[in-house]
Amino acid sequence: MWQEDLVAYLWDCGELARVVQTDRIPYAATLTDPISGTTLLLVEHPGHQLSYLVGAFVPEPFGEGFDDPHAPRSITVPPFPGRAAQVIIQRYLPAYDRAVHERRIAHVAEALDLIQSEWGSWNELPAAPQPGGAVRVEPPAFTTAVGEFLESAWREFLTVLDHAPALLDQCRPATSAWPQDAEVLDQLAVALLTTLQLREDLNSGVPLSRAEHRAQTRPAIETWLAHSQQFLRQARAASPRPRPTVALPQPPHRLTPGQARHR
């Protein structure tokens, strides 16, 4: 009755998104993987009696998916369960997983760029000359700037916490062009674990002063800023792991007329 409500949540750059907006679809079904949470939409292909369209709903961490350049392209599948499952498993899901991977990279890169730009702003505070020719930023101004930066950076860094763990899990520096990045990735993983625990504590209501929060977040954020390029090149070179093999449904065995009589 209200299929237009689906548009914002479809994650598709192919025919499915267009059809949902322009054609009345009488029947549809969702296909959900309870382990990964992947949810697909299967609809009758308007004007094609012997095929269906299959596309995806946007993964929950991404919010809305309409008009996303990273979205995968929907595919056409035949009206036979075994063959349709084969096409989805062999063609669509690998493309879907790659699209998820690319969008995660985009989110992390954008968040780190924003933090880096703010870092540069407060790091360039005017310095006050001191006796003996020493130069340093006045403590009150410096303390205020650091506090404002870290609070803003933390909000952006939450995006890194949402998406970087899955990307780190895909990285294989030993088989990449930069095997020396392995040590850096280990440092990033440790920093990530620290801040993930901090977020869990905050969400659980563990009391934490602003000074304690800043003391715990600053080293992790600085580590990620220092090694962002190594991380991003490893993530872009990585490929999503193949999904577990699924046993496809087999068509029923057809008996010949003679076999049927003997049975």
Side-chain angles (χ1 to χ4, degrees):
M1 293 298 294
W2 301 100
Q3 73 182 47
E4 292 83 1
D5 291 347
L6 295 175
V7 172
Y9 303 101
L10 288 178
W11 197 41
D12 181 59
C13 65
E15 190 173 3
L16 178 66
R18 180 191 64 78
V19 163
V20 170
Q21 295 178 75
T22 60
D23 293 73
R24 181 57 58 192
I25 300 170
Y27 301 103
T30 57
L31 309 173
T32 303
D33 177 2
I35 297 176
S36 68
T38 302
T39 301
L40 308 182
L41 179 66
L42 180 146
V43 305
E44 289 187 333
H45 194 172
H48 300 76
Q49 295 183 349
L50 297 180
S51 66
Y52 293 84
L53 287 173
V54 174
F57 285 106
V58 64
E60 185 176 351
F62 296 157
E64 294 189 356
F66 178 69
D67 206 25
D68 177 13
H70 298 97
R73 184 176 296 276
S74 52
I75 60 171
T76 303
V77 298
F80 310 107
R83 288 170 56 189
Q86 186 174 32
V87 173
I88 291 171
I89 291 171
Q90 295 179 355
R91 283 182 47 204
Y92 186 77
L93 289 180
Y96 170 91
D97 290 337
R98 186 69 203 180
V100 171
H101 186 79
E102 295 293 343
R103 185 163 178 181
R104 287 190 185 279
I105 292 173
H107 278 309
V108 172
E110 182 180 1
L112 292 175
D113 282 346
L114 287 172
I115 297 172
Q116 185 67 64
S117 65
E118 293 178 3
W119 175 277
S121 297
W122 76 261
N123 212 30
E124 294 173 1
L125 285 173
Q130 301 298 311
V135 177
R136 66 179 177 84
V137 176
E138 289 292 337
F142 181 76
T143 301
T144 301
V146 170
E148 292 176 351
F149 163 72
L150 288 175
E151 289 175 8
S152 175
W154 173 250
R155 290 191 292 271
E156 296 296 339
F157 198 71
L158 293 176
T159 298
V160 178
L161 296 185
D162 286 337
H163 301 292
L167 294 173
L168 273 175
D169 188 52
Q170 308 291 348
C171 291
R172 296 291 180 271
T175 59
S176 74
W178 312 277
Q180 69 275 15
D181 289 346
E183 184 178 350
V184 166
L185 294 186
D186 288 342
Q187 295 177 32
L188 294 176
V190 171
L192 208 58
L193 286 173
T194 301
T195 45
L196 284 169
Q197 182 61 53
L198 174 62
R199 181 171 68 173
E200 184 176 335
D201 290 343
L202 291 172
N203 291 339
S204 301
V206 176
L208 198 67
S209 69
R210 296 177 72 179
E212 291 172 326
H213 182 274
R214 293 169 183 174
Q216 293 186 44
T217 58
R218 181 171 180 172
I221 292 175
E222 287 181 335
T223 298
W224 272 84
L225 291 180
H227 303 302
S228 62
Q229 294 308 309
Q230 292 96 318
F231 167 75
L232 290 173
R233 72 185 181 188
Q234 286 291 337
R236 289 170 179 141
S239 297
R241 292 182 179 178
R243 293 183 180 229
T245 303
V246 178
L248 296 174
Q250 298 297 319
H253 179 65
R254 291 188 177 183
L255 301 177
T256 65
Q259 290 176 311
R261 285 196 302 272
H262 286 97
R263 289 173 68 89

